[in-house]
Amino acid sequence: MAMLYLLPALAVFGVFMFWPLVKSIIISMQGTDIIGRPGGFVGLEHYRHMFSDPAFAKVIGVTAGFTLLTVLPSILIALAIALLLQERIRGLRFFRSAFALPFAFSVATASVIFGVLYNPASGVINGLLSYVGIGPFGWLTDPDMALISVSLATVWMQLGYNLLILSAGLGAMPEDVLEAARLDGATGLRLQRSVVIPLITPQLFFLIVTGTIHSLQSFGQIYILTKGGPENNTTTLVYSIYEQAFAYNNSNFGYASAQAMVLLLVVLVITAVQFGVLERRVFYR
Amino acid sequence: MTTTAAQTPRTDRPAHRRRHSRGVGRGAGPLTYVGITVLFLIVLFPVYYGIIGSFMNTQDTNSYPPALWPKHGIHPQNYSNALDIVPLGRQYLNSIMQTAAITIGQVLTSVLAAYAFVFLPLRARNFWFGVFLATMMIPYESIIIPNYLFVTGLGLSDTIAGLALPFLASGFGTFLLRQSFLAFPTELRDAARVDGAGHLRFLWSILTPLSKPTLAALSIYCALSAWNQYFWPLLITTRSEHQTIQIGIGQLQSSDTQDPGMVLAGVVLALLPTLLLVVFGQRFIVRGLTAGAVK
């Protein structure tokens, strides 16, 4: 009888997760027929093509760059804010609520705002920089800058969530430990580095792992801001999957699925590392 | 494990601060104020400009150097212009229906599954629970192609069903509720059984009312992620009157970049529900999200 209670969820998982997983593997070994549906067995052809395709090598490079430029910067800025908000400052309540606001933004709403700010002609960022005599920059059109600009917007999008998690961790800090450290003469940065940071390693580690997975899955900001360009410099793995399968009526489902399997593998490895490391290396009290 | 994050009691804060002040006996230095103010100005600028900009006309938004506040008056007509170009009202409704369907579906299937895991005799319990946990490790984008082919093959593109169906169950939701149910006092369960309450009766009239905080946190978490979805709604809808508001504002941006004020008005409209949620429901959001850090 218990199975009856599991059935609704299991049915959804079966139809929309586990079967598609099998199907993805199958499609990654198929070509595309004339009406744009997957068909015809091609074996490992897509994989062979993928690993010899310089365009795909570039996709992996861009994905790695995007991850590096988003995950740690966003966590570090959030950590700085979270630590400052632990101080006894006037207007603390106001600052706390204000810094939570970015969290209300979806990828789409934040991306559109950043698109307006980045606008080379009328954008506020170039405008403000003109006061100090820098620029103007083609934030999203300059091949050297586009990835940085999209990453910057993504850092902002992640900030709210990181801040929530870190603030919760800092708020749950055992007061007696802090007290003891202070009595031993630890203050300021020394207190932060030797006592506070080690105590929130679980939260930091959690954010690094989830942040990395989240970054790997990013799509909306690239679609809205750059469409993968200029010169494919912002074409990440997920965007590449989209482009191969869905953009310009490509219907290259087989090749896109092979790339999707790479994404799946990377995320699975990161998750495995999370479970492996989490148990041993991270400080729990 | 790290239940620390999830159980952060809000009421802790004042006491915490009081003790803090007694322990060190000094306020924050000027550097702290400089740091927090600089970060505040940078981080909150997009929020400020997004809202203020939505009331500025092109004279202000397209001037150089740019206006940082409406110098040429307030222009609420940006909002009606945005509504004229893209059927945002209709898309709003689509977003609400999609969000409601996903949230209700996910909470319902999760409650039932979590109930089975905690209160019912189940063969191979660990195996099935492992299956549920496994779903949390599969990145959705890696299986989006077969799902797209399947759902469009059923003729469900441009429908609420197509938008919601793949998301009607959640490993995370089941996990969260299971944790909450495990903490349920067994005496209450036994008392209900003695009184002759069957499983469904117990589930509906005793367990769920007493699990309200967790259910609220889960619902808010579900609703936020459903409302903010982008990739799937982009694929599964083709005509603007069937699209969600998130897709709509993307279209608004590509349709007319000459009038940023109008584009920003669309953004503010799409933002309103989540903004209100963050301002007034922060307590629940924190609980729902930090619960994710407990894994």
Side-chain angles (χ1 to χ4, degrees):
Chain A
M1 187 199 56
M3 284 313 282
L4 275 178
Y5 286 70
L6 291 189
L7 205 63
L10 279 178
V12 176
F13 289 148
V15 175
F16 293 103
M17 257 189 166
F18 294 118
W19 173 239
L21 205 58
V22 176
K23 198 79 198 198
S24 272
I25 300 171
I26 297 172
I27 296 175
S28 78
M29 292 187 276
Q30 286 179 325
T32 305
D33 67 18
I34 35 170
I35 56 159
R37 298 239 128 199
F41 184 74
V42 298
L44 297 177
E45 191 44 51
H46 292 307
Y47 292 91
R48 210 173 301 141
H49 174 204
M50 188 166 69
F51 290 118
S52 60
D53 184 0
F56 186 70
K58 182 170 180 177
V59 164
I60 295 298
V62 169
T63 310
F66 180 72
T67 310
L68 279 176
L69 287 170
T70 50
V71 181
L72 278 184
S74 179
I75 294 175
L76 291 178
I77 297 171
L79 182 62
I81 297 171
L83 288 174
L84 286 169
L85 289 179
Q86 289 298 112
E87 299 285 317
R88 236 160 32 92
I89 48 176
R90 231 165 285 174
L92 188 69
R93 197 180 260 277
F94 166 77
F95 280 120
R96 268 187 205 282
S97 322
F99 276 112
L101 287 182
F103 185 70
F105 288 69
S106 67
V107 168
T109 47
S111 300
V112 172
I113 290 184
F114 271 89
V116 170
L117 295 177
Y118 279 142
N119 189 305
S122 65
V124 175
I125 298 183
N126 274 347
L128 288 175
L129 287 178
S130 74
Y131 288 121
V132 283
I134 313 175
F137 295 107
W139 295 98
L140 299 170
T141 47
D142 180 340
D144 293 329
M145 296 203 73
L147 185 63
I148 297 173
S149 306
V150 175
S151 301
L152 205 68
T154 308
V155 165
W156 190 87
M157 295 171 205
Q158 301 266 27
L159 216 53
Y161 178 72
N162 292 348
L163 188 59
L164 278 180
I165 299 288
L166 289 174
S167 294
L170 287 170
M173 196 84 66
E175 187 60 30
D176 47 339
V177 175
L178 293 180
E179 202 77 356
R182 281 197 205 99
L183 286 175
D184 284 349
T187 51
L189 279 178
R190 174 108 174 85
L191 180 72
Q192 309 283 24
R193 210 185 54 224
S194 325
V195 183
V196 175
I197 306 283
L199 278 172
I200 51 164
T201 39
Q203 280 81 12
L204 287 173
F205 187 76
F206 171 82
L207 286 181
I208 291 174
V209 172
T210 52
T212 306
I213 294 175
H214 201 98
S215 258
L216 287 169
Q217 295 178 288
S218 296
F219 173 76
Q221 57 269 63
I222 297 162
Y223 180 83
I224 290 175
L225 289 175
T226 61
K227 296 265 190 298
E231 297 172 13
N232 291 334
N233 278 357
T234 57
T235 301
T236 59
L237 188 49
V238 166
Y239 195 79
S240 169
I241 294 170
Y242 165 78
E243 211 165 46
Q244 291 295 336
F246 304 108
Y248 327 114
N249 287 322
N250 270 348
S251 298
N252 211 340
F253 294 117
Y255 192 39
S257 290
Q259 299 191 359
M261 290 303 100
V262 175
L263 174 73
L264 176 69
L265 204 68
V266 174
V267 171
L268 285 181
V269 167
I270 294 172
T271 318
V273 169
Q274 173 188 20
F275 282 118
V277 177
L278 202 68
E279 300 308 321
R280 283 177 288 116
R281 312 259 333 230
V282 180
F283 179 88
Y284 288 113
R285 61 192 169 88
Chain B
M1 281 196 284
T2 27
T3 38
T4 56
Q7 292 173 351
T8 313
R10 249 179 91 86
T11 46
D12 236 22
R13 285 270 156 68
H16 170 100
R17 244 180 286 151
R18 229 179 297 127
R19 263 181 287 163
H20 191 296
S21 61
R22 191 151 36 101
V24 184
R26 67 191 176 95
L31 261 180
T32 308
Y33 281 102
V34 173
I36 202 84
T37 309
V38 168
L39 283 166
F40 173 81
L41 289 177
I42 296 174
V43 171
L44 270 300
F45 184 74
V47 182
Y48 167 82
Y49 193 78
I51 296 171
I52 296 296
S54 75
F55 293 103
M56 301 203 294
N57 67 359
T58 46
Q59 266 178 296
D60 280 330
T61 50
N62 294 354
S63 66
Y64 195 86
L68 292 180
W69 55 87
K71 288 176 180 161
H72 293 91
I74 307 268
H75 288 261
Q77 53 267 50
N78 284 342
Y79 284 82
S80 46
N81 291 346
L83 288 164
D84 283 342
I85 291 189
V86 174
L88 290 176
R90 185 61 215 265
Q91 294 177 344
Y92 225 84
L93 206 64
N94 295 338
S95 272
I96 290 172
M97 290 199 285
Q98 173 223 19
T99 302
I102 292 177
T103 307
I104 294 169
Q106 249 183 53
V107 171
L108 223 59
T109 57
S110 299
V111 164
L112 286 176
Y115 185 80
F117 282 125
V118 176
F119 294 103
L120 292 175
L122 180 64
R123 237 175 303 149
R125 185 188 306 268
N126 288 340
F127 167 77
W128 290 115
F129 193 57
V131 168
F132 275 67
L133 289 186
T135 62
M136 290 161 67
M137 299 171 194
I138 301 170
Y140 178 67
E141 293 74 10
S142 70
I143 49 169
I144 205 162
I145 291 168
N147 274 336
Y148 167 82
L149 294 170
F150 178 61
V151 171
T152 50
L154 290 177
L156 291 178
S157 16
D158 284 331
T159 64
I160 298 297
L163 286 168
L165 265 179
F167 307 101
L168 294 184
S170 152
F172 169 71
T174 308
F175 175 81
L176 193 69
L177 285 169
R178 172 184 171 268
Q179 300 304 94
S180 155
F181 290 172
L182 280 174
F184 191 80
T186 40
E187 306 89 69
L188 269 178
R189 169 75 196 101
D190 294 340
R193 192 173 289 159
V194 170
D195 286 349
H199 283 296
L200 280 177
R201 177 78 197 282
F202 167 66
L203 174 61
W204 181 247
S205 21
I206 299 169
L207 188 61
T208 41
L210 288 173
S211 309
K212 254 187 212 151
T214 315
L215 286 171
L218 176 63
S219 309
I220 287 182
Y221 175 82
C222 280
L224 262 177
S225 19
W227 181 267
N228 289 342
Q229 272 190 16
Y230 198 82
F231 200 171
W232 181 252
L234 179 74
L235 293 187
I236 218 66
T237 55
T238 50
R239 296 169 47 175
S240 59
E241 68 266 31
H242 297 299
Q243 281 168 339
T244 62
I245 186 94
Q246 306 292 335
I247 309 301
I249 59 165
Q251 313 287 58
L252 199 60
Q253 187 223 23
S254 47
S255 74
D256 190 353
T257 37
Q258 295 312 304
D259 190 355
M262 187 265 296
V263 175
L264 292 176
V267 168
V268 172
L269 285 176
L271 194 61
L272 221 52
T274 48
L275 202 63
L276 292 175
L277 200 62
V278 166
V279 172
F280 296 107
Q282 225 183 93
R283 195 161 51 100
F284 287 105
I285 294 178
V286 170
R287 201 182 305 152
L289 288 166
T290 50
V294 182
K295 273 194 285 195

